[in-house]
């Protein structure tokens, strides 16, 4: 999902396309805040099946960078991990920045740098994720640093 959009999209691996996310046949949109960063996934990962994702899913990742078209592949540095409770199901989202300095909009490569230089970043992300579902459906459970993010990637690539 490109930064700056309100329309939710999902990757369809069977068709190798990005399609609007729908509920009851209607395209889903996030009201109030557009996506504050690019929302995608780490291609080489696979998470276990769950009620929400019966076939599993790839590790979600948020890329703090200029808006990128859907399908853009970027090399990134994981700087944090966001833990969500999405309607009773735990979900982790990597917080990343582009590996290439020329693609970065923030001069940070660690969780500590992000929080010290942009203290409101965590609040903006919390608000967006809470609004990304139905009211009360998404709750932020916690935040972790780059070490936890790297551990999550290792677990998702097994």
């Amino acid at each position: 999902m490109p930064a700056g959009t309100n329309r939710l999209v999902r990757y369809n691996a069977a068709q190798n396309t990005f399609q609007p996310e729908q509920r009851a046949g209607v395209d889903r949109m996030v009201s109030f805040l557009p996506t504050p960063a690019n929302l995608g996934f780490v291609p080489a990962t696979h998470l276990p099946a769950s009620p929400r994702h019966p076939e599993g899913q790839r590790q979600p990742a948020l890329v703090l960078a200029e808006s990128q078209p859907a399908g853009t592949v970027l090399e990134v540095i994981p700087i944090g991990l966001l833990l969500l409770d999405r309607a009773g199901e735990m979900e982790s989202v990597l917080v990343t920045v582009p590996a290439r300095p020329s693609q970065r909009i923030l001069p940070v490569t660690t969780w500590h740098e992000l929080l010290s230089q942009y203290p409101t970043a965590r609040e903006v992300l919390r608000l967006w994720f809470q609004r990304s579902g139905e009211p009360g459906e998404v709750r932020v459970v916690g935040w972790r640093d780059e070490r936890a993010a790297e551990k999550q990637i290792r677990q998702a690539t097994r």
Side-chain angles (χ1 to χ4, degrees):
M1 254 175 69
T5 186
N6 290 71
R7 298 189 181 278
L8 296 171
V9 295
R10 291 268 180 222
Y11 177 68
N12 181 323
Q15 297 179 3
N16 195 32
T17 60
F18 290 87
Q19 301 170 340
E21 184 176 316
Q22 294 190 328
R23 231 184 230 166
V26 176
D27 289 358
R28 292 198 53 226
M29 291 185 63
V30 177
S31 62
F32 177 56
L33 284 175
T35 310
N38 300 281
L39 186 58
F41 58 86
V42 179
T45 59
H46 188 78
L47 298 174
S50 68
R52 218 169 137 246
H53 301 282
E55 297 177 16
Q57 69 170 344
R58 292 187 171 104
Q59 175 62 56
L62 191 67
V63 183
L64 303 174
E66 286 192 63
S67 184
Q68 301 292 316
T72 300
V73 177
L74 293 174
E75 184 179 353
V76 297
I77 299 170
I79 65 168
L81 188 67
L82 167 60
L83 304 173
L84 301 171
D85 174 346
R86 198 178 285 274
E89 189 173 307
M90 294 303 294
E91 180 179 319
S92 63
V93 178
L94 297 171
V95 179
T96 71
V97 296
R100 291 184 182 166
S102 63
Q103 294 176 319
R104 292 186 201 141
I105 58 172
L106 305 173
V108 301
T109 57
T110 69
W111 184 243
H112 175 73
E113 289 173 347
L114 178 67
L115 295 183
S116 64
Q117 293 180 44
Y118 301 93
T120 59
R122 188 168 27 186
E123 180 65 8
V124 169
L125 296 176
R126 182 190 67 76
L127 285 171
W128 188 83
F129 275 99
Q130 284 183 322
R131 296 295 300 194
S132 69
E134 298 299 317
E137 181 181 58
V138 180
R139 186 174 61 88
V140 172
V141 176
W143 302 88
R144 303 291 184 270
D145 64 12
E146 61 275 5
R147 289 180 299 280
E150 290 167 3
K151 181 179 177 183
Q152 178 63 30
I153 294 167
R154 283 192 300 277
Q155 290 175 343
T157 55
R158 291 183 185 168

